[in-house]
Amino acid sequence: MMIFKRWFAPKWQHKDAAVRQQAIAGLNADAQHKEILHELAFNDGHEAVRRAALEKLNEFSLWWQASKQDNADRLKHYAETQLVQMILDNRISAPLKRQFIEECHRSSILEKLALTESDAEIRFALIMRLKKNDLILANLQQDVLSLEQKRQLLALITEPKQLEKLSKQLAEPLASELKLQLQQQQQAKDKPVQVRKVVNLLLAKLNSVRERGDLAQMQQKWQQYQQEWDAVQSDLTLLDDAEDLIQKYNKINSLTEASWAPLLKEQQQKLEQQQKLEAMKKQQQGFESQLGTLQQQLAVLMSEGRLDETDHLAAQVAALLDQLTQSELTATVKAGLQKAIIAFDRQLQQLPVQAEQLFKLTRLLADWSAASVPEDATQFQQVEAKYLQWQQEWNKGRKTLGAMLPESLAEAQQQLNAQWQPLMTEFAVQADKNMKSVRSKLTEFRRLYEAGRYKVLFGLFKGIQQSYGELTPAQQQQLTKDYQAAEVQLQQLNELQNYIATPRKQELVAQMQALALATDVEAPQRAEQVKLARATWQTLGRADEALEAELNQAFNLACEQAFAPCRDYFAALDEQRKQNALIKQQILADLAAMLDKSMDKGFDSQLTALQKSWRDSGPTESALYKELSAQFKTLVDQLKARVRAQHAQHLAEKQQLILKAQQLLTLSVDEAVAGAKKLQQDWKQIGFAGKTDQQLWSEFRLACDQIFANKTAAKQQQEQQWTEQQQLAETQFAEVTTLCAQAVTLSELHAGQSALKALELPAKSGLLQQKQQLLAEVQQKIETLEHSAFNASYQQLFAALEQADVTADAIPARFREDFAKGQEQQLTRAQLTTAIELISGKDCVAADKAQVQLQLLSDKHNTGTSLTVDALLKRWLSFGVVKVEEQGLVQRLKAVFA
């Protein structure tokens, strides 16, 4: 019955794992086969079968159970992958997902979910649960979490460098918030140091206050520093020695109070003395005020003519004197006040005289106001004496009345004076100026006469004669003597001029008549001679009255005839001037066109060329030249302004390049050289910078030369270092080469190989290739020895296995771990021997060859990897001691590993 049961057993119960795996494909994941699949998924001995059953069921809970209970790590990992994928694909309900996350304690799964979960709340809960820095950083830079969640994650990061890096990577507003947080942290970190500095400085200031001389200044400074101390007291808690600092402050406070005690006492005494002086001053002002009131009352009575009502003023004066005598004022002040009061009393006694003087001043102001203000110099001369008389009489009367002068009269006089004085002063200044001018001209006349410069005296005397007539009679009287002397001298000169000028004029007429007949004189020289003759004629003055008109007519005719040949010459010059004007106008047009032209490298040279063309364009008509010249100047100024602006821009750019070149000296040599080359290219792109361009170039070149000099020096130093390193390397390489050549054992070869790898050779050294060659040779020797030792370990293994009582200690160490494990369940030792022969490519005549090949193919399909000889040998050794009937298997393996 058992035989029939074995024959008709379902394929999922077949002993061959490959058959069981194929049978799973025919099962359904419904209620009929679900229990079978469940049994296969968790109790089958073959990993591939369990995996196929799980894939058929494909339930989240089963994958979860497999990930925790399966004994194959690879299947566990695969189950985890399926779990994560099902969660990511949302193939499970949210409650189940949350339950899984709550119960899952495998960080690898949770980390995957924390990186891939789309639900922000779940992902945030995972991150807060794991609290791993990498997860936090990754999620901060993704868009899944909300802004508030990211803020909570940022609160978990405390490393300043990491926070600073994030402040540059995160988007706003987190970046700004993080920068502010870093700034606040830095401020909080620096604050104790700053507070200590402030407190120490403040204590020093407080301690130094009492050393000042002036108490008021000391108190002002102390109050200021005290306010600063009150402001900083709240920050003292940041300092460890806050109590000591407070004690220092209290000590300074006590010392200051003790130091100020005498000064405060002295200050109080001075204050009392000052109060006493102020009281005396106030009393003095009271007396002065009473006296002023009496004077005002007297002035009112006088202005109203009520002189018989002044008796009460005398009584008040007497009472005021008594009060002054009884006061505590100083003797000097008392004397001054007594003098003023007695003077007022004397005025009371002289009231009739003052009344008469007041009447005179009133009459004077009436006459003055009735007079008309002068409008010209003539009226000024008529009223000047009267105006001076009014001023003198007013000043005399004001002095007599003193304080008794009514304010109404004083104001009336001020108004009249304001009306008259500016005009009278102006006329007086002008009259004085005219007189000084005439006196100066007379002095100049006398000097020129004595110097023999008679010609200019005629015109000068005409001006003197006119100015002399405009003077007042009094001023003319002062200058009469000098004026009459000049008049006599001029009359004598007139007589002498007539005597000299006649023959000279006759001679000039003859010269011009001869020039008119001459044919060998060039036009420019002819015109110059005519011009000179006319100028000379003007200097000769008047000839004899009988001949003057005739000589003038003859001279003009001769000049016209002499100048006639020059007219064609000057006409040609006029034509040339017109052509020059056209050239100048074209230059102006070119200059105007340049205003709209872009500033290029040829702009300066073009402007210079046009300026030179203007200078070379020749003369033009005077009025036209002025007009064109003004336009030329305006255009050139505008263009030069553009050029100057461009030069200023180029100057700033080149100065910036110079600064950059100088800053390059602080960088490494290679960076500085690369930067200098770039700056030189930039320099070439900048145009002319004006007068300082050459100086700027010298500065820039100096900085660049220094950079390239540093490069040369660094290169020489590198070459020197390379030479020294090369010499040392050659010595060391020779020693290591000898060591490798003498090495025989593996340990010696490994030691030589390590020494050779540790050997540092200079760059571009020829020893580098030799080192690689030597390393290859040593490696070849090591591999040869290791291969020999490896093969020898197989022979030692098989020799030990031929012993019936072999133990794990008797076989080579590399095989001990797998010996007698007893975990092999798929193949027998004989089948494993056949498998080893098949995989190694040796001839195999075993009867189970085909079955073993099928099994090997199935394993490869299930695992995705190919088996090796060593892996099969380890499984072969897991059976333990070789039985007598299995010794033939050992011989077969010997042949494979021979």
Side-chain angles (χ1 to χ4, degrees):
M1 190 66 181
M2 292 295 295
I3 295 175
F4 286 108
K5 187 176 181 180
R6 186 179 304 164
W7 283 352
F8 297 102
K11 291 184 178 181
W12 58 268
Q13 291 181 342
H14 198 277
K15 66 177 181 178
D16 190 344
V19 176
R20 295 197 303 275
Q21 184 176 354
Q22 291 176 358
I24 291 174
L27 299 177
N28 296 322
D30 52 13
Q32 179 182 0
H33 297 146
K34 189 171 184 179
E35 185 176 353
I36 298 172
L37 291 171
H38 192 280
E39 178 69 21
L40 292 172
F42 292 100
N43 297 321
D44 194 276
H46 199 277
E47 176 186 347
V49 176
R50 296 197 300 275
R51 173 173 171 175
L54 288 169
E55 288 176 343
K56 191 69 174 179
L57 293 168
N58 198 24
E59 293 182 7
F60 183 82
S61 58
L62 300 180
W63 285 117
W64 188 357
Q65 183 177 353
S67 67
K68 295 187 291 184
Q69 298 179 1
D70 201 275
N71 57 4
D73 293 337
R74 183 167 52 189
L75 184 54
K76 283 184 179 181
H77 177 72
Y78 182 74
E80 291 176 3
T81 305
Q82 294 300 313
L83 288 171
V84 173
Q85 190 61 43
M86 292 179 75
I87 293 174
L88 295 178
D89 294 343
N90 289 323
R91 285 185 281 168
I92 61 174
S93 62
L96 182 59
K97 181 190 294 187
R98 295 181 183 278
Q99 180 185 357
F100 170 75
I101 292 174
E102 291 175 359
E103 297 180 6
C104 181
H105 298 289
R106 301 191 64 176
S107 59
S108 59
I109 297 177
L110 296 177
E111 289 178 16
K112 289 180 181 179
L113 291 176
L115 290 172
T116 55
E117 175 59 43
S118 58
D119 189 314
E121 293 297 331
I122 295 177
R123 179 182 284 205
F124 179 71
L126 285 169
I127 298 170
M128 296 299 291
R129 177 178 172 183
L130 295 171
K131 292 185 179 180
K132 286 197 173 183
N133 195 53
D134 294 341
L135 289 176
I136 295 173
L137 295 177
N139 280 276
L140 281 173
Q141 301 183 38
Q142 295 180 6
D143 298 331
V144 178
L145 300 181
S146 66
L147 184 62
E148 185 59 35
Q149 290 172 337
K150 289 184 177 182
R151 288 194 178 104
Q152 295 184 41
L153 292 182
L154 279 175
L156 301 177
I157 302 176
T158 57
E159 178 62 32
K161 292 184 178 179
Q162 190 64 59
L163 290 173
E164 184 176 359
K165 185 177 180 182
L166 284 173
S167 67
K168 301 175 182 177
Q169 296 175 345
L170 297 181
E172 295 294 344
L174 287 178
S176 300
E177 294 176 0
L178 196 52
K179 290 177 182 177
L180 179 61
Q181 178 184 344
L182 288 170
Q183 183 179 0
Q184 293 173 348
Q185 290 179 356
Q186 186 64 35
Q187 290 176 352
K189 182 179 178 182
D190 298 339
K191 190 169 184 180
V193 179
Q194 296 174 354
V195 170
R196 183 175 298 281
K197 289 181 180 179
V198 171
V199 170
N200 289 336
L201 178 60
L202 191 54
L203 289 174
K205 288 180 179 179
L206 288 168
N207 194 37
S208 65
V209 166
R210 62 177 181 274
E211 298 176 0
R212 300 179 182 272
D214 185 64
L215 180 60
Q217 291 183 358
M218 288 191 290
Q219 289 176 328
Q220 182 181 2
K221 287 293 182 183
W222 179 265
Q223 184 178 5
Q224 175 186 346
Y225 298 155
Q226 182 65 45
Q227 292 175 354
E228 295 178 10
W229 175 263
D230 294 339
V232 82
Q233 265 190 318
S234 60
D235 295 330
L236 287 176
T237 55
L238 300 174
L239 305 179
D240 298 335
D241 55 346
E243 294 296 331
D244 295 338
L245 294 174
I246 293 174
Q247 290 179 4
K248 287 183 181 179
Y249 166 74
N250 294 332
K251 183 178 180 181
I252 292 172
N253 198 7
S254 301
L255 293 173
T256 303
E257 290 177 355
S259 174
W260 283 359
L263 297 177
L264 289 172
K265 183 178 180 181
E266 182 182 353
Q267 185 185 44
Q268 183 63 29
Q269 293 174 352
K270 288 182 179 180
L271 181 61
E272 293 174 355
Q273 183 67 24
Q274 183 67 26
Q275 292 175 348
K276 184 177 180 181
L277 292 175
E278 288 179 356
M280 294 175 66
K281 185 176 181 181
K282 187 175 181 180
Q283 190 176 18
Q284 177 185 351
Q285 291 174 349
F287 283 114
E288 291 174 349
S289 175
Q290 294 180 41
L291 180 59
T293 302
L294 293 175
Q295 290 174 341
Q296 290 178 359
Q297 292 176 1
L298 178 59
V300 170
L301 292 174
M302 288 183 65
S303 63
E304 295 176 353
R306 296 185 295 162
L307 300 180
D308 55 343
E309 300 180 11
T310 58
D311 295 341
H312 69 285
L313 297 179
Q316 292 180 12
V317 169
L320 190 62
L321 280 173
D322 292 339
Q323 294 176 9
L324 179 63
T325 304
Q326 297 174 6
S327 67
E328 297 179 355
L329 297 176
T330 61
T332 304
V333 175
K334 281 185 178 180
L337 290 173
Q338 286 174 350
K339 183 178 179 181
I341 295 172
I342 291 172
F344 179 72
D345 186 56
R346 192 180 298 114
Q347 284 182 346
L348 290 175
Q349 296 174 7
Q350 297 176 354
L351 281 178
V353 177
Q354 292 179 351
E356 181 182 359
Q357 186 63 46
L358 181 62
F359 176 76
K360 290 181 179 180
L361 291 181
T362 304
R363 183 64 180 270
L364 183 147
L365 291 179
D367 295 341
W368 192 353
S369 60
S372 300
V373 179
E375 297 180 356
D376 53 28
T378 303
Q379 294 179 4
F380 166 73
Q381 294 173 4
Q382 294 172 357
V383 80
E384 180 183 15
K386 191 65 176 175
Y387 173 75
L388 294 176
Q389 181 183 354
W390 290 337
Q391 291 284 7
Q392 292 173 358
E393 290 179 359
W394 173 264
N395 291 332
K396 181 179 177 181
R398 185 183 61 182
K399 184 176 180 180
T400 301
L401 291 175
M404 308 305 297
L405 178 66
E407 291 184 0
S408 58
L409 290 181
E411 292 177 357
Q413 190 275 339
Q414 290 176 359
Q415 291 177 359
L416 287 172
N417 200 41
Q419 184 179 4
W420 281 70
Q421 187 174 11
L423 293 173
M424 297 300 290
T425 303
E426 181 181 352
F427 285 128
V429 170
Q430 184 61 40
D432 187 60
K433 183 178 180 182
N434 292 340
M435 182 177 176
K436 289 181 179 179
S437 175
V438 174
R439 180 181 282 116
S440 175
K441 290 179 181 179
L442 287 171
T443 303
E444 180 68 11
F445 184 93
R446 185 168 55 254
R447 186 186 67 79
L448 293 173
Y449 183 84
E450 292 174 354
R453 299 177 60 184
Y454 305 126
K455 182 177 184 295
V456 297
L457 295 180
F458 294 96
L460 179 60
F461 188 77
K462 287 183 180 179
I464 293 174
Q465 193 175 22
Q466 181 180 358
S467 300
Y468 184 78
E470 297 174 354
L471 297 178
T472 64
Q475 292 174 331
Q476 289 180 353
Q477 183 65 31
Q478 295 180 33
L479 301 176
T480 299
K481 182 179 179 181
D482 293 338
Y483 178 77
Q484 291 177 350
E487 193 174 23
V488 171
Q489 291 171 347
L490 187 67
Q491 185 177 1
Q492 293 174 353
L493 287 175
N494 274 325
E495 295 174 356
L496 180 63
Q497 184 185 49
N498 292 336
Y499 176 76
I500 296 173
T502 300
R504 290 294 309 277
K505 285 189 174 184
Q506 291 172 343
E507 181 181 355
L508 275 177
V509 170
Q511 289 178 0
M512 288 297 98
Q513 290 173 347
L515 181 61
L517 297 175
T519 57
D520 57 346
V521 180
E522 297 292 336
Q525 290 80 8
R526 182 182 292 271
E528 186 64 28
Q529 290 180 25
V530 172
K531 182 178 179 182
L532 179 61
R534 285 191 179 278
T536 304
W537 186 274
Q538 294 295 328
T539 63
L540 294 178
R542 296 182 63 83
D544 188 78
E545 291 295 334
L547 300 175
E548 177 67 20
E550 181 182 352
L551 288 173
N552 285 337
Q553 184 178 2
F555 178 75
N556 289 332
L557 178 60
C559 287
E560 287 296 325
Q561 293 173 349
F563 187 75
C566 300
R567 298 192 186 282
D568 294 339
Y569 171 76
F570 286 111
L573 287 181
D574 289 341
E575 184 62 29
Q576 182 62 45
R577 289 190 181 94
K578 292 180 182 179
Q579 296 297 323
N580 293 344
L582 294 176
I583 295 174
K584 291 182 183 294
Q585 290 172 349
Q586 183 58 45
I587 293 174
L588 292 176
D590 294 341
L591 290 173
M594 289 182 66
L595 290 174
D596 300 327
K597 184 180 178 182
S598 61
M599 302 284 288
D600 53 17
K601 290 186 177 180
F603 195 88
D604 285 355
S605 58
Q606 183 180 358
L607 178 58
T608 304
L610 288 175
Q611 288 179 288
K612 184 178 184 301
S613 299
W614 177 273
R615 292 192 298 271
D616 297 341
S617 60
T620 58
E621 191 271 325
S622 179
L624 180 59
Y625 176 77
K626 289 181 179 179
E627 179 183 350
L628 297 178
S629 180
Q631 297 178 23
F632 175 77
K633 184 177 184 303
T634 301
L635 290 172
V636 169
D637 288 345
Q638 293 176 358
L639 293 172
K640 284 187 175 180
R642 289 186 65 191
V643 171
R644 285 193 295 271
Q646 186 187 55
H647 287 176
Q649 180 182 355
H650 292 169
L651 173 64
E653 292 175 355
K654 290 190 175 182
Q655 287 175 338
Q656 189 65 26
L657 290 183
I658 292 172
L659 179 62
K660 290 181 179 179
Q662 292 170 347
Q663 292 174 346
L664 289 176
L665 293 171
T666 62
L667 303 179
S668 64
V669 174
D670 292 338
E671 291 177 337
V673 170
K677 291 180 179 179
K678 175 64 169 58
L679 293 180
Q680 287 177 337
Q681 294 298 322
D682 295 342
W683 186 280
K684 293 178 180 179
Q685 301 302 319
I686 302 175
F688 187 63
K691 297 180 180 180
T692 59
D693 190 77
Q694 186 59 38
Q695 179 182 352
L696 293 173
W697 167 247
S698 300
E699 294 179 14
F700 179 71
R701 183 175 180 180
L702 178 63
C704 292
D705 289 346
Q706 183 62 44
I707 291 172
F708 292 116
N710 292 344
K711 178 183 179 182
T712 302
K715 184 177 180 182
Q716 292 175 351
Q717 183 179 6
Q718 289 176 355
E719 291 176 351
Q720 178 65 26
Q721 292 176 352
W722 188 90
T723 302
E724 295 175 355
Q725 293 174 358
Q726 178 69 7
Q727 293 175 354
L728 177 62
E730 289 175 353
T731 303
Q732 295 176 346
F733 185 76
E735 295 175 354
V736 174
T737 302
T738 303
L739 178 64
C740 292
Q742 295 175 353
V744 177
T745 63
L746 275 174
S747 60
E748 292 175 347
L749 286 172
H750 281 299
Q753 186 183 47
S754 299
L756 190 57
K757 289 180 179 179
L759 182 61
E760 295 183 359
L761 301 177
K764 299 181 181 180
S765 173
L767 296 175
L768 292 172
Q769 185 176 1
Q770 298 180 32
K771 175 182 176 181
Q772 295 301 323
Q773 293 176 352
L774 185 56
L775 279 173
E777 294 175 1
V778 172
Q779 184 62 32
Q780 182 64 34
K781 290 182 180 180
I782 291 173
E783 291 176 356
T784 302
L785 289 178
E786 287 179 345
H787 184 69
S788 300
F790 190 77
N791 290 337
S793 67
Y794 286 116
Q795 302 306 320
Q796 294 174 7
L797 171 64
F798 298 138
L801 292 176
E802 290 176 349
Q803 304 298 323
D805 55 350
V806 64
T807 63
D809 295 335
I811 64 177
R814 58 187 289 251
F815 300 111
R816 291 173 186 169
E817 182 180 356
D818 301 305
F819 185 73
K821 270 191 174 182
Q823 295 182 352
E824 179 58 35
Q825 298 178 1
Q826 295 184 8
L827 300 176
T828 63
R829 176 169 273 176
Q831 290 174 330
L832 287 172
T833 305
T834 303
I836 292 172
E837 289 177 335
L838 290 172
I839 291 177
S840 64
K842 300 294 184 179
D843 293 336
C844 180
V845 294
D848 56 354
K849 176 179 178 181
Q851 183 180 357
V852 172
Q853 283 180 329
L854 180 61
Q855 185 63 39
L856 291 177
L857 290 174
S858 176
D859 289 347
K860 181 178 181 181
H861 173 74
N862 292 332
T863 61
T865 58
S866 300
L867 295 174
T868 62
V869 172
D870 283 340
L872 292 173
L873 180 60
K874 291 178 180 180
R875 292 166 63 181
W876 192 94
L877 291 173
S878 67
F879 286 97
V881 178
V882 180
K883 300 176 182 179
V884 177
E885 61 273 16
E886 294 175 336
Q887 285 296 328
L889 301 179
V890 175
Q891 299 305 319
R892 289 168 62 185
L893 291 180
K894 271 188 176 182
V896 172
F897 292 97

